[in-house]
Amino acid sequence: MKYRYHSLFSWKGIGGKLIGLYFLLLTFGVAPLHAQDMLDYFQSMPAEMTPYLTIAQKTELVEKSRQQEAAQLVNALGDTTRIETATDDFLSIKMSPVHQIQLRRLPLANGQAIIGMVRTYFAPAADSSLDYFDTTWNRVETKGHLVGLEVEKLHQQPEDMSKTDYEALLALLDPTMLQFCFEPETTDLIVKQSMPLLSNEERTQITPILQAIRLPWRPMR
């Protein structure tokens, strides 16, 4: 059955049809791709995702960011929460000195969008998780960026390094900890390996064998 949107409303002309379509989408819980920006989605995040920010504090941060003020405040833990970057499609929030959240709008083939969320803890090495949600914060199962992610691609053996030395350095990267980061300008995900509990000397030795990789967004359900 085909719906004729103009038959549902009394408005005439193209403008009326567009307004009617917009309200029809809202009625069925489906939002156009750019109906909201990432500040709106941050403000609507469930309390359990932002446990040390009250609703009033999230509203304050959003209002300050929209007014291009310093969007920061003291949260319930006594730490500073700060919005670092905010665009229509990307948001980076420093929840505390050891906790960062990034939100990225990701397009689907059907013209709709989902939200990618990278949550990173620095304790002290960075350890990230990546989850996907619909626009009402229901978890979405998709392989997304992680198609083809192989830890081996994060390493490279320098030409002047012996295989024995290279393998000895690889052994220091245990347990495997990954840091994810969205690019503000694209839907790509940057992945690099963290160096957990290493001395400064070990970090200096291991840095030459590490390389970041770029994973494009491929929506796969």
Side-chain angles (χ1 to χ4, degrees), residues 165-177:
D165 290 342
Y166 178 64
E167 290 178 347
L169 291 176
L170 287 179
L172 297 176
L173 294 170
D174 185 35
T176 299
M177 295 171 60

Side-chain angles (χ1 to χ4, degrees), residues 157-169:
Q157 181 179 346
E159 293 182 359
D160 60 350
M161 182 179 292
S162 69
K163 182 178 180 180
T164 300
D165 290 342
Y166 178 64
E167 290 178 347
L169 291 176

Side-chain angles (χ1 to χ4, degrees), residues 76-141:
L77 297 180
D79 293 323
T80 298
T81 295
R82 180 177 69 256
I83 293 179
E84 299 175 310
T85 306
T87 70
D88 286 348
D89 299 307
F90 174 81
L91 186 65
S92 178
I93 312 151
K94 196 73 171 178
M95 299 294 292
S96 76
V98 297
H99 181 199
Q100 181 188 46
I101 290 177
Q102 289 187 329
L103 304 177
R104 186 66 171 84
R105 191 199 312 263
L106 302 167
L108 298 177
N110 62 5
Q112 301 303 313
I114 60 175
I115 300 170
M117 181 172 76
V118 168
R119 190 186 294 273
T120 303
Y121 289 94
F122 302 87
D127 190 21
S128 297
S129 62
L130 173 63
D131 296 286
Y132 301 99
F133 301 88
D134 66 18
T135 55
T136 55
W137 294 106
N138 298 302
R139 192 177 298 275
V140 175
E141 296 298 330

Side-chain angles (χ1 to χ4, degrees), residues 2-55:
K2 295 184 178 180
Y3 291 100
R4 301 175 63 193
Y5 296 110
H6 64 276
S7 67
L8 299 177
F9 301 91
S10 59
W11 298 302
K12 295 181 179 180
I14 297 298
K17 292 178 183 178
L18 291 177
I19 294 173
L21 175 59
Y22 178 78
F23 279 102
L24 183 69
L25 291 171
L26 292 183
T27 300
F28 288 95
V30 180
L33 186 59
H34 289 282
Q36 294 178 294
D37 63 20
M38 298 314 295
L39 288 172
D40 292 320
Y41 291 126
F42 167 64
Q43 193 165 2
S44 69
M45 286 178 73
E48 60 267 22
M49 291 185 180
T50 54
Y52 32 89
L53 286 178
T54 65
I55 295 175

